[in-house]
Amino acid sequence: MTLEQLRMFVTVAELGSIANAAEVLHKTQPALSIAIKRFQQELQLTLLQKTANRLQLTDDGHRLLPHCRYLLRQAKDITALAAHLRDGHESTIEFAFDTICQQSTFFDAITTTQQHFPQTELYLTSVQRLGALQRLIDGKASIALTPWTHTFHELASFETLPFDRFEVIAVIHHQLVSSFASRPHSSSQLRDIPLLMPQAFDIDLDIQKVMGVVPHSTIRSNDTVSQKELLMRGAGWGYIPKKSVTDELTDGTLIPLQLDDVTSVIEGEIRLVRDKKQRKGPVASFLWQTLVNSKNQMVLPD
């Protein structure tokens, strides 16, 4: 069985005529008739039968036709993929992003890239705690979208572009606040309430130094969803991206803390990052430029 036999059978089945199929396939009618006959003999099945002036599929022919179409599509895809790879296009690329980033800022760029390079598999990897930058360092990701500080330049040779902003705030459930005579204004007043904080950062970073907090009691989670659920149950006070609790702050379920002895608000920038030493294939380069263009069209918050 050959792809050419499959193509001839599918064309005849769809057009219902040896003459019409021969014209489309640029073959003579006798040659096409012989080829179809040999194909049926090879399969030991009758796939087509003549009814009036038209060839009709038999039950076996109907059963076989979609499988033949599938194989022809697969062959076409293989040819396209081979051409794609010959042109130096990557077979796969990974875009890693920190969960603190607003995903709406890059979905259009991902979609546009896929439409331009359908043979490249695009992997979106969502990670917490600076894991996106770690995947870039490890050579797993081509591009990362991550919270950024200039000290990260010490970790590798990066090319970066400012992309967005983030804000992490200290909050507490309103029921916990009601146990105080007034709203707490220092971390020492919260000593008997667990501090909800990350288990760890993927890159060596001391969260206690960043926040200025030395907790007496802690509950550590490794994702923002768990952090929020614990806060909503009054399990303690903690730091969480402001955008993830906007509704709860608005309706008063969660109360922002203004503490005079520790950092209450952590603000910073989010950058688009890639490794200068990593090979920049055409697909990754296209995605980078598309992200840059989308960033230039964004209206960032004041």
Side-chain angles (χ1 to χ4, degrees), residues 242-258:
K242 185 177 181 179
K243 68 178 180 67
S244 67
V245 292
T246 302
D247 292 340
E248 291 75 15
L249 291 171
T250 300
D251 64 25
T253 303
L254 295 179
I255 306 295
L257 291 168
Q258 299 295 328

Side-chain angles (χ1 to χ4, degrees), residues 86-98:
R86 283 198 305 272
D87 291 338
H89 297 167
E90 305 94 315
S91 59
T92 64
I93 63 169
E94 178 180 312
F95 174 71
F97 62 96
D98 195 287

Side-chain angles (χ1 to χ4, degrees), residues 40 60 113 188 223 228 278:
Q40 294 181 101
D60 291 337
T113 301
S188 60
D223 66 274
K228 180 176 178 179
Q278 190 178 102

Side-chain angles (χ1 to χ4, degrees), residues 2-297:
T2 66
L3 289 174
E4 184 62 19
Q5 286 176 310
L6 297 177
R7 189 174 292 107
M8 288 187 292
F9 166 61
V10 169
T11 304
V12 171
E14 290 178 343
L15 297 179
S17 163
I18 291 288
N20 292 339
E23 184 177 351
V24 169
L25 296 171
H26 305 290
K27 295 182 180 295
T28 65
Q29 292 185 43
L32 184 56
S33 294
I34 292 171
I36 292 295
K37 183 177 180 180
R38 287 177 178 172
F39 181 54
Q40 294 181 101
Q41 290 173 342
E42 183 177 333
L43 296 177
Q44 297 181 18
L45 291 172
T46 300
L47 305 176
L48 296 158
Q49 60 186 8
K50 193 168 184 179
T51 303
N53 295 322
R54 184 177 176 83
L55 286 175
Q56 300 281 354
L57 286 167
T58 64
D59 290 343
D60 291 337
H62 277 292
R63 184 72 177 84
L64 203 64
L65 181 61
H67 294 276
C68 295
R69 285 172 173 158
Y70 172 77
L71 289 173
L72 290 174
R73 286 196 301 270
Q74 289 293 96
K76 184 178 179 180
D77 289 344
I78 290 171
T79 301
L81 178 57
H84 177 80
L85 297 175
R86 283 198 305 272
D87 291 338
H89 297 167
E90 305 94 315
S91 59
T92 64
I93 63 169
E94 178 180 312
F95 174 71
F97 62 96
D98 195 287
T99 54
I100 204 171
C101 304
Q102 296 187 54
Q103 298 180 19
S104 59
T105 59
F106 58 77
F107 279 147
D108 286 345
I110 295 295
T111 301
T112 300
T113 301
Q114 192 281 328
Q115 290 171 346
H116 278 76
F117 301 96
Q119 286 80 28
T120 294
E121 291 185 328
L122 300 180
Y123 285 79
L124 300 186
T125 303
S126 171
V127 286
Q128 296 92 21
R129 316 305 180 199
L130 303 177
L133 191 59
Q134 187 65 60
R135 293 190 70 81
L136 189 67
I137 292 171
D138 292 342
K140 297 176 181 177
S142 301
I143 302 172
L145 191 62
T146 178
W148 185 258
T149 174
H150 287 288
T151 59
F152 292 162
H153 279 296
E154 300 173 4
L155 301 172
S157 179
F158 293 125
E159 177 182 359
T160 72
L161 177 75
F163 194 83
D164 204 351
R165 302 285 302 175
F166 72 87
E167 182 178 3
V168 176
I169 61 173
V171 297
I172 190 171
H173 196 277
H174 73 92
Q175 290 181 348
L176 290 178
V177 173
S178 64
S179 64
F180 294 89
S182 60
R183 185 177 301 185
H185 58 79
S186 71
S187 63
S188 60
Q189 292 177 275
L190 301 168
R191 180 177 175 81
D192 296 329
I193 299 176
L195 171 61
L196 308 177
M197 59 191 301
Q199 289 183 7
F201 282 94
D202 292 309
I203 293 175
D204 186 22
L205 187 65
D206 191 334
I207 191 171
Q208 295 181 12
K209 289 182 179 179
V210 172
M211 297 177 178
V213 177
V214 180
H216 173 66
S217 175
T218 63
I219 300 177
R220 293 179 179 263
S221 62
N222 66 350
D223 66 274
T224 301
V225 173
S226 298
Q227 188 100 344
K228 180 176 178 179
E229 288 297 324
L230 289 167
L231 286 166
M232 293 299 292
R233 284 164 171 74
W237 68 283
Y239 294 82
I240 193 166
K242 185 177 181 179
K243 68 178 180 67
S244 67
V245 292
T246 302
D247 292 340
E248 291 75 15
L249 291 171
T250 300
D251 64 25
T253 303
L254 295 179
I255 306 295
L257 291 168
Q258 299 295 328
L259 306 175
D260 55 23
D261 60 339
V262 298
T263 301
S264 299
V265 178
I266 303 169
E267 296 180 279
E269 66 176 345
I270 291 171
R271 287 202 173 203
L272 203 59
V273 186
R274 61 182 175 181
D275 190 338
K276 288 182 179 179
K277 296 180 180 180
Q278 190 178 102
R279 175 185 173 272
K280 298 174 179 63
V283 182
S285 296
F286 182 91
L287 175 58
W288 175 273
Q289 189 57 52
T290 306
L291 287 163
V292 171
N293 294 341
S294 66
K295 177 263 178 185
N296 292 334
Q297 296 171 6

